[in-house]
Amino acid sequence: MKVILTSDVKNQGKKGDIVEVSDGYARNMLIKKNLGVEATPKAINDLKLRKQNDDKVAKENLDKAKEFAKEIETWKIETKVKTGEGGKTFGSVSSKEIASAVKEQYGKTIDKKKIVLDEPIKSLGTYEVKLKLHPEVTATMKVHVSEK
């Protein structure tokens, strides 16, 4: 019997796959536990439509991320930190502080987990900070750290 999996099933396949299994396994395990549905022509057509919609949504998200990346490239974020003798900072500038500075200066909300700091910012100056907006899109913005 052909079954369309509605969730990942170990040793069978991933969600959305059409698999051939024995009738008993399909009726007593997959369909009964809502792990799959019988692969009727209507169900196969619905699956194709759902995949097309998912592809369209994924492409739109990628386009939005690329657009946002172009906007981010023009930004210059200003942050202020307390400093001691010789321009040494107390602590470092974290991704949380950068995210709050972006919200304050540009009105855009950026998740602090998307900000990639190769190493902590521990001195004054201008740094290039990467933002992982999408698995395929990374943007770079300038962060200027100055004295309070």
Side-chain angles (χ1 to χ4, degrees), residues 14-31:
K14 300 213 177 277
K15 179 179 178 178
D17 289 350
I18 299 174
V19 294
E20 181 77 38
V21 295
S22 68
D23 290 355
Y25 183 69
R27 278 193 303 273
N28 298 324
M29 173 67 178
L30 298 178
I31 296 172

Side-chain angles (χ1 to χ4, degrees), residues 16-102:
D17 289 350
I18 299 174
V19 294
E20 181 77 38
V21 295
S22 68
D23 290 355
Y25 183 69
R27 278 193 303 273
N28 298 324
M29 173 67 178
L30 298 178
I31 296 172
K32 190 173 187 179
K33 293 188 177 184
N34 292 325
L35 298 174
V37 294
E38 190 175 348
T40 61
K42 181 190 180 314
I44 292 172
N45 191 34
D46 289 347
L47 176 67
K48 286 179 185 175
L49 291 173
R50 197 174 316 119
K51 281 187 179 181
Q52 286 175 347
N53 186 39
D54 291 347
D55 291 343
K56 181 181 173 191
V57 169
K59 186 179 181 330
E60 288 174 0
N61 287 341
L62 177 63
D63 292 343
K64 284 181 186 176
K66 285 180 180 177
E67 242 178 73
F68 193 45
K70 286 179 185 174
E71 182 182 340
I72 288 172
E73 301 283 335
T74 63
W75 291 358
K76 186 168 183 179
I77 308 301
E78 296 286 333
T79 60
K80 295 186 182 289
V81 294
K82 285 186 177 179
T83 55
E85 290 182 26
K88 286 280 195 179
T89 61
F90 295 117
S92 63
V93 178
S94 67
S95 57
K96 182 179 180 182
E97 291 169 331
I98 294 171
S100 65
V102 167

